């Protein structure tokens, strides 16, 4: 800024027009010498000393000009040092502003002509000749109406003052001229006001700044001083911060590229992966490509002291075997049967009959098959004999029970094959690890639950010092600001390395709960049991068939219905979780499931399932 003239922002903006934009300004002072903060339309605008502002557009805030009077320009008190400077500062285009008159503070000698101090010279035209310096043709009036013309080079130096002109301007003409806007005026009709007027139009300024994502908008009336550094800072490049979602929206030609982290990730608590701690401010990454990756969300058994959760790519090469699911209520059976018609289970704990509440008796080892769901009033006949000699048992959805799925399948499946044949949730075990992984974290768990399948927008990334070891960043789950640098890629041109992409990412329980909250925001809880009729003097009758069932040890493990796991393809961009239709219970009315067995027909009722 050495040698540059600082001007108030409002004065500088008033001197601009659209033809000279963009302009690069540097803040040199403000209301506070180290920075100025302004509240504008609910948003905060902050300028600090030294900030660079690239003005891209100006717009007059008020365009309704109703004053119909005329103004004349008040001559500037400061002298001009050359004729060229004086001509260039004319208030409007040169052709329409001629003639104009000026005088010299000292004696002028032009060729053989000597002019005394204070002699008035009227500029008639500007003479331009090829390969010669421009000259102004001036008229000199002497005594007794004598006159003469003289040509003065525009580089002629002196101390020149502008004389008052007879030119008249409307308010609209003044506001439409960048030169006139910065001048002082008087009313042509002096009775209105004889004092000089300084018009101060306020403009809406649009600009860009370094490390600012959006266009900065502010009025020109902010009390800061600026310097025009357009010529000095031609090569300045403004850094535009991008979120990961915005990076994912960049065109494919932007990849691969080197980026620098501007702000540390804000959502570290969602992930437990090895690469996350290395994502720090000023760290450089390589963004190889963007895409949409099919993934599944796995969880370990909740009976473990510390449950674990994993995001697994569909490219995972391990082999799975199905594991029987456990259910702790009739409602869970109902939910599972929606996605797996003909669900067969075995009773793992005895249940006592409670006739008044419509709860049938169940014995360990009984094999049950879900057949349908109906609405009916309880209590009712708990067992029904069918023509095929099978029994139906009606069980309300609110009934607690302990069941395990009956499986006859012992096949080994790829991850993609599971998606084609089964719905979620699905209990599995890894029986063959992924041989391309140095260590398979899924191998060794006795049981894993596939909670959901999803299509996630991802960016394949690596660190600059290890470009071949890549990982996928889920852009919707990690908040981080970066910008594309001009640094070269760390490999020979057109010879990218063969990348090894991490296929398993461990996530925290907070990720799992947040995912479930997003996917099941409308899900309703299971129905409550009906209120007991307190007018009964005797307690509910119980049969002696079995002992009282213990409370479930896995009461919190609820089966959540999802769409087909086969949705885990690149052709389907919807999440594979849906909410269950609300099922409610009223007094003495419930919904149940009808279940039949091969030896004893069982019907689960409450929203009654008829077999």
């Amino acid at each position: 800024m050495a040698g540059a003239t600082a001007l108030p922002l409002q004065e500088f903006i008033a001197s601009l027009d659209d033809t000279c934009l963009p302009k690069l300004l540097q803040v040199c002072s403000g209301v506070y010498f180290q920075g100025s903060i302004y509240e504008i339309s609910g948003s905060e605008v902050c300028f600090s000393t030294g900030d660079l502002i690239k003005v891209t557009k100006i717009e007059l805030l008020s365009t309704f000009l109703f004053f119909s009077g005329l103004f004349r320009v008040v001559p500037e008190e400061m002298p001009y040092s050359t004729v060229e400077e004086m001509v260039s500062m004319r208030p409007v285009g040169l052709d329409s502003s001629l003639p104009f008159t000026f005088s010299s503070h000292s004696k002028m000698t032009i060729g053989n002509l000597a002019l005394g101090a204070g002699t008035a010279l009227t500029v008639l035209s500007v003479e331009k000749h090829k390969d010669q310096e421009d000259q102004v043709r001036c008229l000199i009036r002497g005594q007794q109406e004598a006159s003469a013309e003289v040509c003065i080079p525009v580089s002629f130096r002196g101390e020149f003052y502008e004389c008052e002109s007879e030119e008249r301007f409307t308010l609209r003409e003044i506001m439409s001229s960048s030169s006139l806007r910065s001048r002082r005026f008087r009313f042509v009709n002096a009775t209105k006001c004889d004092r000089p007027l300084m018009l101060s139009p306020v403009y809406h300024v649009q600009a860009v700044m370094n490390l600012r994502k959006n266009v900065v908008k502010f009025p020109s009336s902010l009390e800061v001083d600026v310097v025009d550094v357009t010529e000095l800072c031609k090569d300045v490049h403004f850094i535009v911060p991008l979120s990961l979602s915005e990076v994912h929206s960049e065109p494919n030609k932007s990849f691969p590229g080197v980026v620098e982290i501007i702000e540390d990730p804000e959502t570290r608590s969602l992930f437990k992966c090895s690469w996350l701690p290395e994502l720090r401010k000023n760290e450089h990454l390589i963004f190889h490509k963007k895409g949409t990756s099919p993934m599944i969300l796995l969880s370990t058994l909740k009976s473990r002291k510390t449950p674990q959760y994993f995001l697994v790519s569909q490219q995972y090469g391990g082999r799975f075997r199905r594991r029987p699911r456990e259910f702790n209520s009739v409602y869970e059976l109902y939910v599972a049967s929606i996605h797996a018609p003909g669900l067969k289970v075995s009773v793992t704990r005895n249940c006592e009959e409670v006739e008044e509440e419509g709860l049938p008796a169940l014995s360990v080892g009984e094999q049950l098959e879900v057949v349908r769901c109906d609405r009916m009033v309880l209590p009712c006949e708990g067992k029904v004999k069918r023509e095929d000699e099978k029994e139906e048992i009606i069980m309300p959805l609110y009934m607690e029970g302990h069941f395990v799925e009956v499986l006859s399948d012992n096949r080994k499946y790829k991850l993609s094959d599971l998606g084609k044949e089964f719905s979620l949730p699905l209990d599995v075990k890894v029986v063959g690890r992924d041989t391309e992984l140095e260590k398979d974290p899924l191998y060794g768990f006795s049981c894993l639950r596939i909670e959901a399948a999803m299509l996630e927008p991802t960016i394949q990334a690596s660190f600059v010092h290890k470009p071949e070891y890549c990982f996928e960043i889920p852009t919707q789950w990690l908040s981080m600001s970066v910008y594309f640098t001009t640094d070269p890629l760390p490999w020979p041109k057109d010879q990218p390395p063969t990348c090894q992409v991490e296929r398993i990412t461990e996530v925290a329980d907070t990720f799992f709960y947040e995912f479930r909250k997003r996917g099941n925001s409308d899900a309703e809880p299971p129905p409550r049991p009906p209120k007991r009729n307190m007018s009964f003097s005797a307690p509910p009758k119980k049969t002696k068939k079995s002992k009282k069932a213990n409370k479930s040890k896995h009461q919190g493990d609820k089966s959540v219905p999802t769409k087909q796991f086969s949705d885990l393809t690149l052709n389907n961009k919807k999440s594979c979780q849906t909410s269950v239709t609300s099922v409610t219970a009223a007094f003495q009315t419930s919904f149940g499931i009808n279940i039949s067995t091969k030896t004893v027909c069982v019907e689960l009722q409450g929203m009654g399932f008829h077999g």
Side-chain angles (χ1 to χ4, degrees), residues 286 288 460-471 490-491 495-502:
I286 301 172
H288 293 262
Q460 184 175 306
S462 69
F463 294 101
V464 175
H465 59 281
K466 295 186 294 184
E468 69 278 8
Y469 294 102
C470 298
F471 49 90
W491 57 72
Q495 297 181 29
T498 301
C499 294
Q500 302 176 17
V501 184
E502 192 172 291

Side-chain angles (χ1 to χ4, degrees), residues 298 300 304 308-312 316 430 433-434 437-446 448 502-506:
L298 283 176
T300 60
R304 293 173 58 90
Q308 291 177 264
Y309 304 91
F310 302 92
L311 275 180
V312 183
Y316 175 73
V430 176
R433 71 179 191 86
D434 189 337
L437 298 180
E438 184 177 345
K439 183 179 180 181
D440 189 339
L442 303 183
Y443 188 72
F445 287 108
S446 60
L448 296 167
E502 192 172 291
R503 298 174 179 178
I504 303 172
T505 302
E506 186 174 0

